Amino acid sequence: MSQTMRSIVWHGPGQVALEQREGPSPGPGEVLVEVLYNGLCSTDYPIVQGEVAGSWPGMILGHEPVGIVLSLGEGVAQPKIGARVVLDTMIGCGSCRFCQGGHSELCAHSDEIGFSLHGNWTDFAALPAANLHVLPDAIGDLEATMLEALTCQLGAIEALDVRFGETAVIIGSGLAALTFIQLLRLKGAGHVAISMRNYAERIELAGEFGADQIVCDGDWGALRAHAQVRADEGFDLSIDAVGTQETSLAALSLARRGGRVLLYGLRSAVIDGFPLGETIFRNLTLFGRTSAPWMWRPAMDLVVGGAVRLRPMVGEVVELEDVPGLLTGSRERGGPLKRVIRVRGKQRGGICAYHRDVEVN
Ligand SMILES: [Zn+2]
Ligand SMILES: [Zn+2]
């Protein structure tokens, strides 16, 4: 392919531009994908601020594509031309013991598409065939942009080894926080509490997804009202799905002695004054998690079976041209939950109703 295509390019902290770049040709082991939609992920904000190691000026951003395979590079048999695909972003060395065991996220020499390698906020992308998953028909294009995030969330919740009846608290109002409610319910947690910002639609979704207790704007005292939590002086499981100093410290203090704490949010990648002493004296176990490439099959199965609902979280479809402004402007609070970027798909703009299924044809 020699014609030019639109690309969203990062040029250093706070600098993002729409540019014309030469269209890619698939190399050996790659396929050429026409990008229909792509996700705007909360991780893209710290990348744009230059807070995520590995990103470099001149890099194309974006890592949540759904697209159609147009042509195959040398040596590629799967996926077939015309297949609708999503992308596992982790590129391991392929030969270390972690890569061989399906854990490329632990590879010492891994790269990640959209983080340290060119992303795919572009009309066309040459992507490694081995990293593509063919989408089942039952998963729509828009919700498919949330599958990569769901794999990460599944890996994080699995790490916590949730036991039946345990108490859990989530701090956050975003996609991850709302998905964690669904996953903790699936895993058999007994009491699921969430501390959110006072955003009406998101609070409604939290209730719909099965939260037992919803408190607003850091009312930590109210969270301790539940009888078991009061008796234990904290929760069995405590999750920070925001990633600021305030929320990570709150997650630590909300865990009971011997509790497990998941640090998942990445609002700011640098947190000072972390009380390691408290972690030791209170026998806490901390989990840090991001990618979970072995979770693609479970993620798709859970969405197809209806056990995890992504569709109600699609908040808005924006155009590729809107992306630089969205990433560099002030980040509005309580805006649309999941922003999906229309690249070459047909479903255009507007804010989708939270509870209406968004159909794409
Ligand atoms: Zn992401
Ligand atoms: Zn490796």
Side-chain angles (χ1 to χ4, degrees), residues 92-239:
C93 72
S95 57
C96 73
R97 63 190 172 113
F98 303 111
C99 286
Q100 300 258 303
H103 285 276
S104 54
E105 84 283 3
L106 301 179
C107 176
H109 306 286
S110 66
D111 272 309
E112 190 166 7
I113 294 171
F115 291 80
S116 57
L117 299 172
H118 275 312
N120 34 70
W121 283 345
T122 53
D123 288 301
F124 303 94
L127 300 172
N131 284 57
L132 295 174
H133 296 270
V134 176
L135 272 174
D137 291 343
I139 300 181
D141 287 343
L142 301 189
E143 61 188 328
T145 63
M146 286 182 270
L147 282 171
E148 194 270 336
L150 178 58
T151 63
C152 304
Q153 291 143 6
L154 283 168
I157 293 297
E158 188 134 295
L160 290 177
D161 191 18
V162 184
R163 289 153 218 168
F164 292 119
E166 284 193 310
T167 57
V169 61
I170 303 156
I171 302 170
S173 319
L175 205 67
L178 290 168
T179 306
F180 284 144
I181 297 172
Q182 302 188 60
L183 300 185
L184 287 167
R185 283 267 90 101
L186 280 177
K187 283 283 194 179
H191 174 73
V192 178
I194 182 165
S195 169
M196 310 179 69
R197 294 272 183 186
N198 193 4
Y199 305 145
E201 294 91 346
R202 299 185 185 199
I203 288 170
E204 208 178 319
L205 271 181
E208 212 176 281
F209 289 158
D212 297 303
Q213 186 187 14
I214 301 169
V215 307
C216 286
D217 296 322
D219 186 358
W220 314 123
L223 283 170
R224 297 178 187 276
H226 182 259
Q228 190 63 52
V229 173
R230 209 169 50 234
D232 297 344
E233 296 189 3
F235 290 82
D236 296 312
L237 307 164
S238 181
I239 300 176

Side-chain angles (χ1 to χ4, degrees), residues 40-44 63-64 112 115 148-149 152 338:
L40 207 161
C41 175
S42 54
T43 323
D44 292 314
H63 62 270
E64 298 176 337
E112 190 166 7
F115 291 80
E148 194 270 336
C152 304
K338 178 63 178 182

Side-chain angles (χ1 to χ4, degrees), residues 260-288:
R260 284 106 77 207
V261 179
L262 170 63
L263 301 174
Y264 189 84
L266 203 63
R267 177 69 58 85
S268 165
V270 181
I271 292 170
D272 296 323
F274 198 82
L276 287 172
E278 190 183 340
T279 307
I280 297 167
F281 289 122
R282 297 180 56 231
N283 278 24
L284 300 179
T285 304
L286 302 188
F287 294 86

